Structures are given as structure tokens and as C-alpha cells.
């Protein structure tokens, strides 16, 4: 028997959605399924092909940044709450991992969960402000959070080691897998190889979580709050609840990223959780694309890889010196900072939807082909 | 008692600087609805330009101040004209982020041109002091308070009586109605950026003439002026001045009594006091002390 709507026995076009299950698929078309398979294959084989520690560590840092950026994108891109305090939550996660994973010696899942729980708790504490303040007032309060946090990190010597920082000794062990020295089927892998697999699997988990979150009722409610909170309340969305919730989820994810960051780096100091880190995360989601999950990952790869490249090839760029007091006109750090600035301005002026927007445009061109316009 | 008065004086001088920067924030916010994060960068740029004028070009100090303010004003207005006019109609978040971008461009630019060294701005005030009774008052602090008072007074007169000032208020109140009256919004936006940048440069120079000298970190003071402005209310010039003074006093007093009263809170707690005060006040008054509460209608 022919299904309704099909003429002369031909298959319906692949873009035609006929069932709810089809509509719900994250990877619906054959092309996107092929893309997913390709990405998974790359994920599995990349560390065995690419042995260079430098490139692996760049990719690991980019992965960690992706996780934090997904968190910020949920809050800013999907719920419309501007936060300059992301660095604070990332820092809190790093110290939590240091205490739970390092000092108490608990395994990987536990210190990741502990970091997430702490992040959610601290993020929830911002709740009262998120409820009472709007827009720019809220942005400045979260800016204050960065400074108050920095003061805390410098003075809570017992946990953070004060100004001189502390080493993070948390172990990355999951059951039989020790990602610090991975041994699979008799083959010994380096720390960077193991961490690549660990971090990017967590990126996948976070991305799926976020993607599914924004497709469900809370996610749609968050987007309604972003578009116009008053209108959202009129249609029965409790704006306050979702604002506080978005803060909690976002900072929980940020804290997980922070925990990974601290543990991978094995050492953290209060200087790392400054305003520049917050701005870096904002640059990531703007460059990647506000309100898209995969944009956060694209942005993190782009913004994360750029400073590493500059650092590596600084000797080849005229006028750049490796540190203060060098020969060049501008230091690597200053150049990076400048590039963040230019990227933010450039993308907002010329491509406000970010890399994800460019990608979607290319995709739309080919999906609509030959009727692209 | 003398120590207390001395601290209060230091607080007023510091607060005067905050007030100048905060006033700059408020002017731009009122005219364009945007918070200008680049104020710190413009402040640093202005004070370093002041250094170039006095030290390298040997211009008289008073003229150097005027020149530096004028150049900073030009940079601010140019940025508004070149970049921000493209952003009309975009969400506030995007525009605010652009000013953050500008901050991150200006900062390295300043260090690339003038280096990281601590510079001494040639100025007639230096470390001269006036002794009044038991109090020792720094000449620079007195000038800083006096200049701020003058500028604030001039600013209020300008807003109240001058044609452009009234046009700016009208645009802030209702841009479309103002346009309908033949007021050029473009001109108002550019002028508000120019004024605000000039105020930042003035604040930067008075700061650089002080004991701290001139270093790339000078722009950070603008970040402390945020609490001052938020505390007073985003859209209230009087609030900016009030907030600046409150924050300055609180910071100076905490620093003065760090050892006696605040040793439990850790070293340098005075740095975060402005933020703590801001957070506490915002919990009670979400629109600052003098800010206009936003009326939300369905």
C-alpha cells in the first residue's frame, strides 16, 4: 500500500519530514550522518596519527574551552543573560577539582560531578541578582564577581595556595582507563593522547546535553526569555525560574571545564581567572555564533588555536617579541589580546551570526541547490 | 581624628577621579543606551598622550591637558562614527561587546607605543603639599577635586542651558521624537562619545600626575568606576558623581583602616570594596541610588 502523499511509487524527497520521529532527529539527513561518522572517526584516529604534543595540547585546550563556551552560550546565547563572570565559575571548578580529586583523591567522575555541583550552587547564588537586575546592571554585577573571586582566590590560601598558586594532582582515572598513561591492548599512549580522547568525549557529552536541553521545554522557555522576558511571562513561562536555572546550568558546565583545565595543566594560580578569561569566552561564543551549540565548538577551535599559533610562530612575525622587554614592538600576549578585540569587533560588525552563521549559509546554499539564491 | 580626616580627604580625591570616569559612562549611556567598556582604554590613551605632549613635546601642562583631552575626544568620536554607526538597531549586547573589543585593542596599542615602563608625567603639582592645621593635603589631590567640581558644574550648565545640551537630553529621552524635531542623532552620539572620552583623558592625566605615575595599568581605574556609576544609577549624572564619591571614600577608608579593622578580610580588601558596596546596594535598589526605575508594561 502506498503511503499517503507519495505519487507513482517514488520515494519522498529526503528533505521532506513526515513523522515526528524524523523531525526530532539530530542527524536527520544522510549527509549529516556521514559528517557525524567522519567526525567520530577523526576523533578516534587523530591522536594515533598526530603525535605532536604541541598540536595535541592545542586541541585539548580548545576542547576544554568548548565545554566552557557551551555553558556560556546556554546562558548568553539562549537565555540572553550577559555574564562577564564566567572566569569566576571556571576558577571555582578548577579549585574544586584540586580539592576533591587531588587532596581527597576521589576518581574522575566524582571530581567532575563535584565541580559541576559546586558550579551549579554558586551559579544559583547569582539567582537573586538575576531576578532583580536586568541587562547592563546584571553584566556589571557579574563583572564584580570576577574581582571578588580574584580576591577570594588570593586569600583562601588553604585551598588555592594564595598568590603563588597550587598544583592540581587530581587523577584522570575512569575504571581501568588511566588517561594520564593510557594503555589499550598492550599499546602505550602518551598523556596528551589520552587527554585528547577524554576531553573531546566530554565535549561530545556536553554538546549533546546542551543540544537536547535547548530543544526541550526549558530550552524553549529560555529562548522565549531571551527574546522578550515580559512576553515569555505572559505565555506562562516563569522567567525568573529559567534565568536562575540558566545561570546554574551554565556555571556548572563552566566549572566542569575549569576542573579539566586545572587538572590538565596540573597547576593553577589566581592570575588565570581574570577578566581576560571571561572576555575570551565571550569572544569564543561571538566568533562561533551566539545561540548555537556547535558554534561554541567552532569558536573555541578558532579562538583557542590562534594564540597557540601566534605563540609558536612569534619569531616569524615581524615586530613581535616573546615577552616584556624583548626586541619587538608588541608582545605575544598583547598581540593576542588585540586579536581578541579585533575578532569581537569584526565579527559583530560583519558577521553577527559568527562562524556558525557562515556554515549555515553554506549549508543552506547546497540544501536548496539548484534553487539557491 | 586627624587620621580619619586625612583618609576622608584621600577618599574625596579618589572619588573625584571615579566621578569623572563614571560621568563619562553616564553621558554615553544616556545618549546611546550603551555601556562603554572602552572608557579605560581611552583613559589610558589620553593620559599617555598627555605624557607625550608634556614630556616629549615640552608643551605647557595646562595646554597639554587640553590637547590630550581634545585628541582623546577625537578618537572617541571617530570610533563612534566609523564603527558604532554600523550597529544602529543591533541588540545592546552586541554594541557593548564591541566596546569591550575596542578596550582590548586600545590596551596593547598603548603598550606597543609607550612601552610597559612606569613613566613620570612632568607636571607642576608633583608631590607638593599644603599643610592646613594638622592635615597634609596634596596639591594634586586638591586640583583633582577642584577640576572635577568645575567640570561637573560646567557639565550641568551645558546640559541645562546650551542648545546642544538640550538636544542631547531630548535624544536621550526619546530618539525618534528628537529626530522629528530636527535634531541630528548622529551628531549627538558623536558629541557624547567625544565628551566622555575627554572626561576620561582628564581623569587619566590627574591620576598620572599623582604618586602612582603612569603605567599601562592606569586604565583599570575605569573598571572601578563601574560600581560607582551603577551605584548612582546608570542614567543619572548626579548619581555618577555621588557614586564616585561614595566608592572613593569607602575605598580610601578601608585602605586606611586595613590593619585595624579589616585584617580578617585579607590583604588589599579595599580593591573589592567598591564591588561589594555595589552588590549590596543593588540588592536593595536595583536601579541604583538615583537611577530611573524602568517601567515595564505589557
Amino acid at each position: 500500500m502506498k503511503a499517503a502523499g507519495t505519487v507513482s511509487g517514488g520515494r519522498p524527497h529526503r528533505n521532506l519530514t513526515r513523522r515526528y520521529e524524523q523531525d526530532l532527529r539530530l542527524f536527520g539527513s544522510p549527509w549529516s550522518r556521514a559528517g557525524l561518522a567522519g567526525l567520530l572517526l577523526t576523533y578516534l584516529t587523530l591522536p594515533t596519527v598526530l603525535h605532536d604534543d604541541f598540536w595535541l595540547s592545542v586541541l585539548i585546550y580548545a576542547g576544554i574551552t568548548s565545554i566552557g563556551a557551551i555553558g556560556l552560550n546556554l546562558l548568553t546565547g539562549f537565555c540572553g543573560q550577559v555574564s562577564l563572570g564566567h572566569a569566576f565559575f571556571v576558577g571555582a571548578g578548577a579549585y574544586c577539582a584540586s580539592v576533591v580529586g587531588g587532596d581527597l583523591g576521589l576518581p574522575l567522575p566524582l571530581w567532575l560531578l563535584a565541580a559541576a555541583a559546586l558550579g551549579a550552587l554558586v551559579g544559583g547564588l547569582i539567582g537573586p541578582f538575576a531576578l532583580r537586575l536586568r541587562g547592563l546592571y546584571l553584566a556589571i554585577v557579574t563583572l564584580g564577581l570576577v574581582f571578588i573571586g580574584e580576591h577570594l582566590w588570593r586569600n583562601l590560601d588553604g585551598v588555592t595556595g594564595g598568590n603563588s598558586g597550587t598544583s592540581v594532582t587530581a587523577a584522570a582515572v575512569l575504571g581501568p582507563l588511566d588517561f594520564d598513561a593510557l594503555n589499550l591492548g598492550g599499546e602505550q599512549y602518551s598523556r596528551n593522547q589520552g587527554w585528547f580522547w577524554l576531553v573531546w568525549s566530554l565535549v561530545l557529552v556536553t554538546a549533546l546535553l546542551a543540544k537536547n536541553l535547548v530543544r526541550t521545554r526549558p530550552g524553549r522557555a529560555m529562548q522565549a526569555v531571551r527574546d522578550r522576558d515580559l512576553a515569555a511571562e505572559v505565555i506562562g513561562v516563569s522567567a525568573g525560574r529559567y534565568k536562575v536555572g540558566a545561570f546554574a546550568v551554565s556555571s556548572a558546565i563552566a566549572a566542569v571545564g575549569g576542573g579539566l583545565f586545572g587538572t590538565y595543566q596540573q597547576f593553577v594560580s589566581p592570575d588565570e581567572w581574570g577578566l581576560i578569561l571571561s572576555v575570551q569566552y565571550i569572544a569564543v561564543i561571538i566568533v562561533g555564533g551566539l545561540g548555537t551549540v556547535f558554534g561554541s565548538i567552532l569558536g573555541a577551535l578558532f579562538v583557542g588555536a590562534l594564540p597557540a599559533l601566534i605563540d609558536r610562530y612569534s619569531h616569524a612575525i615581524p615586530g613581535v617579541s616573546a615577552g616584556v622587554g624583548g626586541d619587538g614592538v608588541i608582545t605575544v600576549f598583547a598581540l593576542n589580546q588585540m586579536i581578541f578585540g579585533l575578532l569581537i569587533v569584526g565579527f559583530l560588525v560583519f558577521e553577527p551570526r559568527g562562524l556558525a552563521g557562515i556554515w549555515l549559509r553554506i549549508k543552506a546554499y547546497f540544501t536548496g541547490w539548484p534553487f539557491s539564491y | 581624628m586627624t587620621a580619619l580626616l586625612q583618609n576622608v580627604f584621600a577618599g574625596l580625591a579618589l572619588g573625584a577621579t571615579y566621578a569623572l570616569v563614571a560621568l563619562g559612562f553616564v553621558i554615553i549611556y544616556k545618549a546611546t543606551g550603551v555601556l562603554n567598556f572602552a572608557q579605560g582604554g581611552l583613559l589610558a590613551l589620553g593620559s599617555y598622550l598627555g605624557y607625550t605632549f608634556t614630556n616629549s613635546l615640552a608643551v605647557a601642562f595646562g595646554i597639554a591637558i587640553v590637547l590630550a583631552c581634545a585628541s582623546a575626544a577625537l578618537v572617541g568620536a571617530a570610533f563612534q562614527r566609523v564603527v558604532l554607526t554600523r550597529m544602529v538597531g543591533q541588540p545592546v549586547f552586541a554594541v557593548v561587546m564591541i566596546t569591550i573589543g575596542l578596550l582590548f585593542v586600545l590596551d596593547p596599542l598603548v603598550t606597543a607605543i609607550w612601552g610597559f615602563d612606569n613613566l613620570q608625567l612632568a607636571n607642576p603639582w608633583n608631590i607638593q603639599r599644603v599643610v592646613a592645621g594638622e592635615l597634609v593635603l596634596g596639591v594634586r589631590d586638591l586640583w583633582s577635586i577642584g577640576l572635577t567640581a568645575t567640570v561637573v558644574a560646567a557639565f550641568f550648565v551645558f546640559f541645562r542651558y546650551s542648545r546642544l545640551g538640550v538636544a542631547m537630553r531630548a535624544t536621550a529621552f526619546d530618539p525618534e521624537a528628537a529626530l522629528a524635531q530636527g535634531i541630528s542623532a548622529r551628531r549627538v552620539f558623536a558629541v557624547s562619545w567625544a565628551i566622555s572620552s575627554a572626561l576620561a583623558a582628564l581623569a587619566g592625566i590627574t591620576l598620572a600626575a599623582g604618586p602612582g605615575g603612569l603605567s599601562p595599568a592606569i586604565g583599570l581605574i575605569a573598571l572601578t568606576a563601574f560600581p560607582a556609576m551603577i551605584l548612582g544609577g546608570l542614567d543619572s549624572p548626579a548619581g555618577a558623581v555621588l557614586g564616585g564619591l561614595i566608592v572613593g571614600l569607602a575605598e580610601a577608608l578601608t585602605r586606611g583602616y586595613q590593619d585595624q579593622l579589616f585584617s580578617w578580610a585579607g590583604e588589599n580588601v579595599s580593591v573589592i570594596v567598591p564591588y561589594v558596596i555595589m552588590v549590596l546596594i543593588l540588592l536593595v535598589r536595583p536601579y541604583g541610588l538615583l537611577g530611573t526605575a524602568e517601567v515595564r508594561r505589557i
Side-chain angles (χ1 to χ4, degrees), chain A residues 71 74 120 209 213 244-254:
Chain A
L74 282 178
L209 230 148
L213 177 70
V244 177
F247 259 103
V249 172
S250 145
S251 37
I253 297 178

Side-chain angles (χ1 to χ4, degrees), chain A residues 35 60 115 129 143 146 191 229 250 264 269 304 336:
Chain A
I60 291 167
F129 295 98
L143 174 76
V146 172
R191 178 164 194 265
D229 55 355
S250 145
Y264 176 63
S269 75
N336 282 338

Side-chain angles (χ1 to χ4, degrees), chain B residues 14-108:
Chain B
L14 186 62
T17 313
Y18 287 148
L20 277 184
V21 184
L23 200 56
F25 286 134
V26 170
I27 291 172
I28 289 188
Y29 179 78
K30 271 184 86 82
T32 62
V34 168
L35 205 52
N36 176 21
F37 274 78
Q39 196 86 335
L42 290 164
L43 185 148
L45 186 72
S47 45
Y48 273 97
L49 281 173
Y51 171 84
T52 302
F53 286 128
T54 55
N55 293 41
S56 313
L57 304 176
V59 179
F61 187 62
I63 302 173
I65 293 188
V66 176
L67 284 178
C69 290
S71 339
L74 215 59
V75 173
F79 180 73
Q80 201 281 328
R81 264 292 157 85
V82 176
V83 180
L84 290 181
T85 38
R86 294 161 177 272
M87 301 299 291
V88 171
Q90 300 278 347
V92 176
F93 166 73
V95 189
V96 171
M97 285 307 142
I98 285 198
T99 67
I100 293 192
L102 175 65
L103 173 67
F104 278 75
V105 173
L106 280 178
D107 232 25

Side-chain angles (χ1 to χ4, degrees), chain B residues 204-232:
Chain B
I205 292 179
T206 56
L207 206 65
L214 188 54
S215 73
I218 197 167
L220 288 179
I221 186 143
L223 292 179
T224 321
F226 272 128
M229 170 224 20
I230 289 281
L231 181 56

Side-chain angles (χ1 to χ4, degrees), chain A residues 252-275:
Chain A
I253 297 178
V256 168
L260 287 170
F261 179 81
T263 314
Y264 176 63
Q265 197 168 259
Q266 295 180 313
F267 181 85
V268 287
S269 75
D271 299 328
E272 275 161 303
W273 325 117
L275 183 61

Side-chain angles (χ1 to χ4, degrees), chain A residues 82 84 129 132-134 136-137 140-141 143-144 147 151 155 229-230 282 290 329 334 337-338 341 344 348-349, chain B residues 35 37 93-94 97 101 104 107-109 112 223 234 265-267 272 275 279 282-284 286-287 294 296-297:
Chain A
V82 180
L84 291 167
F129 295 98
R132 272 180 82 70
L133 306 176
R134 293 156 48 73
L136 296 170
Y137 284 94
I140 302 296
V141 166
L143 174 76
F147 289 98
H151 182 74
N155 287 286
D229 55 355
L230 207 57
I282 289 174
L290 286 168
V329 183
Q337 204 180 336
M338 205 162 177
I344 294 180
L348 282 174
V349 173
Chain B
L35 205 52
F37 274 78
F93 166 73
M97 285 307 142
F104 278 75
D107 232 25
L109 206 63
L223 292 179
L234 255 176
E267 271 172 53
I272 62 160
Y275 296 100
V279 165
L282 282 187
L283 271 184
V284 187
Y287 293 98
E294 192 183 331
R296 302 174 65 206
R297 289 200 188 88

Side-chain angles (χ1 to χ4, degrees), chain A residues 113-140:
Chain A
L113 282 178
L118 180 78
L121 188 74
V122 183
L125 289 183
I126 310 300
F129 295 98
L131 292 182
R132 272 180 82 70
L133 306 176
R134 293 156 48 73
L136 296 170
Y137 284 94
L138 184 62
I140 302 296

